């Protein structure tokens, strides 16, 4: 992977969430070190917001959640960059919603208002992260019921991944992951946000949010394994299938837990 994709999105994340960034003249190793430092800073600053999960002050929650998301984003970008900085492909990161085959296993730009305004049009993307391929922003469901219907309808797609991987069609499984993860992300947020808005559902909202985060984390794990397998990094196809199917078991368990929490 050329460093340009990760470099641009790292700069974008740092500059527009925290107000400072990574100098563009840094080389690969310097960027990794700088991102390690930023990750340490987010652990310190994020800790002060962890107790606000059940706070009714939306502004405080939003800031805390954005810092937590940024911390996860830096960690993911740092890991993928460190593994792939010197590999020879043109795509270093992808926007959420991009279902191109070369996005399988690569870093995805978070769906977040602080970032979306910088990438919501081809012109904005060219200004802030010209190396990335533009796709239309992921649209949120209109209301709670639409989001709930979508989450339940996506269950069959998740379950079908096991069959697809068992048949050895890892590329098709990877493309399906690219398709469903953004939808699960935004539909889940609408559901959780609605529950948070009703005090009588505060515990239900908390359980749903935890389950949603665990589901997305396990799906990310499958995405990375698929990318590594397609690149030939996991050995034989059989060895790769065993690892991926094991992770898919966790995905299905987490999906059912999320549905129960709702």
């Amino acid at each position: 992977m050329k460093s340009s994709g990760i470099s641009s999105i790292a700069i974008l994340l740092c500059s527009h969430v925290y107000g400072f960034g990574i100098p563009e003249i840094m080389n690969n190793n310097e960027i990794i070190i700088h991102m390690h430092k930023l990750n340490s800073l987010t652990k310190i600053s994020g800790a002060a917001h962890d107790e606000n999960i059940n706070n009714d002050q939306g502004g405080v929650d939003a800031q805390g959640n954005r810092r937590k998301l940024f911390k996860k984003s830096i960690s993911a970008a740092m890991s993928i960059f460190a593994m792939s900085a010197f590999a020879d492909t043109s795509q270093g990161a992808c926007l959420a919603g991009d279902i191109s085959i070369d996005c399988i296993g690569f870093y995805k730009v978070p769906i977040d208002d602080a970032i979306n305004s910088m990438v919501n049009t081809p012109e904005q993307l060219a200004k802030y992260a010209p190396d990335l391929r533009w796709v239309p922003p992921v649209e949120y469901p209109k209301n709670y019921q639409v989001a709930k219907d979508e989450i339940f309808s996506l269950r069959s797609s998740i379950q079908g991944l096991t069959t697809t991987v068992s048949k050895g069609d890892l590329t098709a499984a990877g493309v399906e992951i690219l398709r469903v993860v953004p939808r699960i992300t935004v539909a889940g947020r609408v559901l959780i946000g609605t529950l948070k808005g009703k005090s009588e559902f505060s515990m239900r909202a908390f359980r749903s949010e935890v389950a949603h985060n665990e589901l997305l984390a396990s799906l990310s794990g499958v995405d990375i394994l698929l990318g590594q397998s397609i690149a030939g990094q996991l050995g034989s196809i059989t060895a790769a299938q065993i690892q991926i199917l094991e992770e898919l078991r966790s995905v299905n368990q987490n999906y059912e837990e999320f549905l129960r929490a709702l």
Side-chain angles (χ1 to χ4, degrees):
M1 181 195 309
K2 293 180 182 179
S3 62
S4 56
I6 289 293
S7 300
S8 290
I9 206 58
I11 293 167
L12 180 68
L13 284 165
C14 297
S15 299
H16 298 287
V17 179
Y18 270 87
F20 56 89
I22 297 171
E24 294 188 40
I25 60 171
M26 281 186 171
N27 60 34
N28 293 340
N29 291 334
E30 290 171 331
I31 291 174
I32 293 172
I33 293 170
H34 195 71
M35 292 174 79
H36 269 294
K37 292 178 180 178
L38 290 176
N39 192 39
S40 297
L41 286 174
T42 57
K43 287 179 181 177
I44 296 170
S45 59
H49 296 270
D50 287 345
E51 61 183 349
N52 294 320
I53 243 173
N54 292 314
N55 195 311
D56 289 331
Q57 297 177 1
V60 176
D61 278 348
Q63 185 181 12
N65 289 338
R66 186 154 54 248
R67 288 176 185 267
K68 291 175 187 176
L69 178 60
F70 176 73
K71 179 171 65 176
K72 293 178 182 177
S73 302
I74 286 295
S75 297
M78 185 169 58
S79 299
I80 298 299
F81 185 89
M83 287 189 297
S84 309
F86 301 101
D88 186 22
T89 69
S90 59
Q91 191 72 10
C94 293
L95 295 180
D98 190 340
I99 60 171
S100 304
I101 292 173
D102 61 357
C103 291
I104 299 171
F106 285 95
Y107 173 69
K108 314 301 188 296
V109 178
I111 302 172
D112 181 75
D113 290 343
I115 298 171
N116 287 351
S117 61
M118 310 300 163
V119 300
N120 59 359
T121 67
E123 293 75 21
Q124 287 292 92
L125 183 65
K127 185 188 302 183
Y128 293 104
D131 333 292
L132 300 187
R133 180 173 49 229
W134 185 82
V135 294
V138 178
E139 294 187 5
Y140 280 73
K142 294 181 180 180
N143 55 50
Y144 181 90
Q145 190 57 53
V146 173
K148 188 172 183 179
D149 290 344
E150 183 170 15
I151 284 293
F152 275 88
S153 68
L154 287 171
R155 179 198 232 164
S156 60
S157 298
I158 294 298
Q159 292 171 338
L161 287 169
T162 298
T163 301
T164 305
V165 171
S166 296
K167 291 179 178 178
D169 196 347
L170 304 186
T171 299
V175 171
E176 185 68 352
I177 288 283
L178 296 175
R179 183 186 73 83
V180 301
V181 168
R183 299 311 314 160
I184 291 171
T185 300
V186 295
R189 287 181 183 175
V190 169
L191 294 171
I192 294 163
T194 302
L195 293 173
K196 281 185 172 182
K198 300 178 179 180
S199 58
E200 65 269 30
F201 293 142
S202 60
M203 184 53 65
R204 189 169 154 194
F206 173 74
R207 286 182 54 220
S208 298
E209 186 169 35
V210 170
H212 188 239
N213 288 337
E214 290 180 352
L215 171 60
L216 292 177
S218 57
L219 283 166
S220 177
V222 172
D223 178 42
I224 291 171
L225 285 174
L226 286 167
Q228 290 174 334
S229 179
I230 292 169
Q233 298 172 359
L234 297 182
S236 69
I237 180 68
T238 302
Q241 285 172 300
I242 291 172
Q243 292 187 57
I244 296 166
L245 289 171
E246 180 63 30
E247 191 67 24
L248 279 173
R249 277 190 280 273
S250 296
V251 168
N252 280 290
Q253 290 170 1
N254 290 335
Y255 208 99
E256 293 305 313
E257 179 60 31
F258 180 47
L259 296 182
R260 284 193 294 271
L262 295 173

